[in-house]
Amino acid sequence: MAGFLDEIEPLKQTALAELKAAPDVALLEQTKGAWIGPNGKFTALMKQLGTLSKEEKPAAGKLINATKVELEAALASRREELELKAALPKEPTDFTLPGRRRALGKLHPLTQVTDDIVRAFRKIGFAVADGPEIEDEYHCFDALNTPADHPARDSQDTFYLNTTDKRLLRTHTSSVQIRVMEKQPPPVRIIVPGRVYRRDNADATHNPTFHQIEGLYVDKNVTVGDLKGTVEFVFRELMGSDVKIRFRPHYFSYTEPSYEIDFTNALVKKMGKDWLEIAGCGMVHPQVFENVGYDPEVWTGWAFGFGIERIAMLRYGINDIRLFYENDVRFLKQF
Ligand code: DAH
């Protein structure tokens, strides 16, 4: 009897050690079989119970049962451990990787074009700035040297809010030039994509709200050549290397000299035209610098503004601006 009971403890220790060391679930099941399966070593020991005397049996039976419970608990806990381990990724997870599948749907064509323009300007060191769509007359007109009797300020052309301080929906992103310069000292190198509003009746080429990208570059010794080179670079990035641009003299109150930018490429030719007007630009007017507290004797700069819809229409061969706002999936699916 003493010999029988003495065998249990070392057998248990070995069994526990083997169960804990099993490296995976399959080997754990094998180990289980070797100990408490029908032909297991521990099962064999239990079978010997019958050979014990009536006096010896109760104590031995109790010990054996307790040991079996302990082995089964060790087995269950090791199984849980191994299953958990098997469910973990084999390699450490890199949470900065992009998802495998893009979110449902697509970016709107205007967003795609805007993103591409922003990307082209970022390559040459421009930062994106932002400003309010509800503006005051000062930032939209006065600070940009636009006189009180200018037609753009007419309520025929501009949406005024029903407020005593004559607030309005900005008619161009040029107001953000002023807001940025008021806040930061030169040099400045920004672009401003944003929504603008005009009291146009909707037709194929006009809509009461559309999008512009404004650009502003202020530093010492800035020239028209820098402006032209920059615009050319961006349009070639955007529309391909066959792009040509041309500057035509024009008038804006906030630039002097001022130009309109014409654009051409194979597509424009295909449309039966030589050039398409796509933007306004010029050298920042000294009065504008005065208005924001920059010394016009020290600082020079250029600015431009173009319509995003116009570029998107040109890029994709779209002939009606209203298609952008109707959100017809048959249209949107094509981009
Ligand atoms: N604000 C003008 C428009 O809405 C575009 C423009 C012209 C912006 C000349 C400029 C500029 O910054 O210098 O038509």
Side-chain angles (χ1 to χ4, degrees):
M1 161 71 188
F4 181 81
L5 287 180
D6 289 347
E7 267 181 63
I8 295 177
E9 184 59 26
L11 269 179
K12 181 182 95 176
Q13 290 309 331
T14 318
L16 284 176
E18 279 185 24
L19 289 172
K20 277 197 187 117
D24 59 45
V25 177
L27 286 169
L28 182 68
E29 292 305 323
Q30 263 186 37
T31 311
K32 173 191 166 187
W35 290 96
I36 50 180
N39 300 312
K41 288 177 223 170
F42 194 75
T43 314
L45 201 61
M46 287 173 85
K47 282 179 189 158
Q48 285 180 39
L49 263 183
T51 67
L52 297 181
S53 70
K54 215 168 131 193
E55 294 73 34
E56 291 169 324
K57 248 186 220 164
K62 209 170 153 190
L63 182 62
I64 283 204
N65 276 331
T67 307
K68 194 174 176 207
V69 168
E70 215 179 313
L71 291 181
E72 274 166 353
L75 176 76
S77 106
R78 182 60 182 160
R79 183 182 286 135
E80 200 178 319
E81 234 171 67
L82 289 173
E83 281 170 354
L84 213 67
K85 209 172 103 184
L88 287 177
K90 307 275 169 285
E91 309 266 322
T93 305
D94 180 355
F95 292 104
T96 65
L97 287 174
R100 214 179 313 171
R101 219 186 284 175
R102 255 176 54 75
L104 238 122
K106 296 174 167 188
L107 294 177
H108 192 280
L110 289 178
T111 307
Q112 291 186 36
V113 170
T114 306
D115 285 354
D116 288 346
I117 297 172
V118 167
R119 197 173 306 124
F121 275 107
R122 282 231 166 101
K123 281 190 186 173
I124 48 175
F126 280 73
V128 174
D130 196 13
E133 288 177 23
I134 295 178
E135 258 301 358
D136 48 49
E137 288 198 292
Y138 178 75
H139 289 91
C140 203
F141 300 125
D142 298 289
L144 288 161
N145 205 28
T146 308
D149 60 357
H150 194 277
R153 306 179 67 142
D154 199 299
S155 60
Q156 296 284 319
D157 296 305
T158 301
F159 291 107
Y160 283 87
L161 274 73
N162 213 354
T163 54
T164 45
D165 55 356
K166 288 193 94 180
R167 271 185 293 167
L168 49 85
L169 297 180
R170 69 180 177 198
T171 57
H172 52 186
T173 42
S174 304
S175 52
V176 186
Q177 288 186 30
I178 303 300
R179 295 210 170 258
V180 168
M181 287 191 284
E182 281 174 342
K183 260 193 303 208
Q184 77 169 73
V188 176
R189 207 185 295 174
I190 53 149
I191 50 166
V192 184
R195 184 188 282 269
V196 302
Y197 303 83
R198 289 184 197 175
R199 288 193 70 160
D200 279 320
N201 285 325
D203 63 31
T205 55
H206 294 91
N207 199 63
T209 169
F210 59 101
H211 300 81
Q212 289 188 327
I213 288 204
E214 192 80 13
L216 175 67
Y217 181 38
V218 180
D219 208 330
K220 291 177 176 155
N221 307 313
V222 170
T223 69
V224 175
D226 301 326
L227 170 57
K228 196 165 184 203
T230 304
V231 172
E232 203 166 64
F233 167 78
V234 168
F235 276 96
R236 287 193 174 152
E237 287 278 301
L238 212 59
M239 313 283 270
S241 53
D242 70 328
V243 162
K244 281 203 185 84
I245 60 160
R246 144 182 115 167
F247 279 24
R248 230 174 343 93
H250 198 74
Y251 175 80
F252 297 103
S253 55
Y254 31 95
T255 44
E256 177 58 34
S258 303
Y259 309 93
E260 275 192 327
I261 306 173
D262 290 341
F263 167 100
T264 193
N265 66 357
L267 207 80
V268 174
K269 295 267 159 61
K270 227 182 189 165
M271 290 159 66
K273 300 197 171 149
D274 286 333
W275 297 94
L276 271 186
E277 173 203 319
I278 46 153
C281 69
M283 302 304 290
V284 179
H285 196 291
Q287 186 60 51
V288 173
F289 280 148
E290 298 270 9
N291 295 343
V292 296
Y294 286 11
D295 183 349
E297 296 299 326
V298 178
W299 300 102
T300 47
W302 47 249
F304 64 80
F306 48 72
I308 296 175
E309 278 81 349
R310 210 133 195 211
I311 293 171
M313 287 168 85
L314 204 60
R315 185 191 218 185
Y316 299 122
I318 296 165
N319 54 15
D320 192 329
I321 195 172
R322 291 166 294 192
L323 287 165
F324 288 123
Y325 317 114
E326 286 165 357
N327 285 335
D328 184 329
V329 283
R330 291 168 302 179
F331 172 75
L332 295 175
K333 263 186 181 165
Q334 300 174 58
F335 306 97

